[in-house]
Amino acid sequence: MQLRHLFAVFLFLHSVAGDNVLIWPAEGSHWINLKFIIEELIERGHNVTVAVHTAALYINYSEPSAIKFAVFEVPFKSETYEGFLKNILQFWIHEKHNLTYWGRYTALTAVLTNGTIMARQICDGIIKNQKLLQKLQESNFKVLLADPVHYCGDLLAIKLGIPFIFTLRFSPGFAVEMLCGQIPAPPSYVPVALSEFTDKMTFTERFQNVFYSFMYAWVCKQLWRKWDSYYSEALGLPVTMC
């Protein structure tokens, strides 16, 4: 959902005091940015619950807070999760610039594949936790605010039978948004996410941008294909993500 739609929903929530809002967050700077929205929701009288796993790094669910937390178990420690995040940063900040196009493709595929294993474990922790799902169902949430960087926010909302809002549009090369969301973004004019190009590109940069869009689209399509069976099993019907 685009930002203007998100803003419209917030205006609607402002007019109805005391609604219950469920948050599906991501880590690092994504959580820091999301906290501003959460604080505004609380200021306007809404009840905010954050679904958080036990290996979270930045989300401190043990300290007293106006935020409620729905904590669920995952089979790995915070150190493992931190190592995964460091590998991503190492790739994007230090390694990507020194690799060929094909090298970036293979390195990104390896990083995201490892992340997919951990992402499934996080999803399992809440999607397959019937006791927690029942508790969330009884909380009568009006909407779920999800960071799309973490999988299964949309799936959780569907399981609970409530609408969901994505906090941003973000995937390598806008691949998920273009393939799944059908957002028009011609790569010869629109710089793809993570390309580091601006809207003023040289001919060479435009060519690189087109290449990135196809490369990242292939990466995302392969990764999302692995989630088809997961979503299908969770919902009890055939699902094709892209």
Side-chain angles (χ1 to χ4, degrees), residues 21-54:
V21 180
L22 182 60
I23 307 292
W24 181 254
E27 282 284 357
S29 60
H30 289 257
W31 169 245
I32 294 172
N33 292 332
L34 189 56
K35 284 183 68 177
F36 288 104
I37 297 176
I38 293 174
E39 291 168 358
E40 183 65 24
L41 287 171
I42 293 174
E43 180 69 21
R44 296 187 180 192
H46 302 294
N47 303 309
V48 177
T49 299
V50 175
V52 56
H53 59 79
T54 51

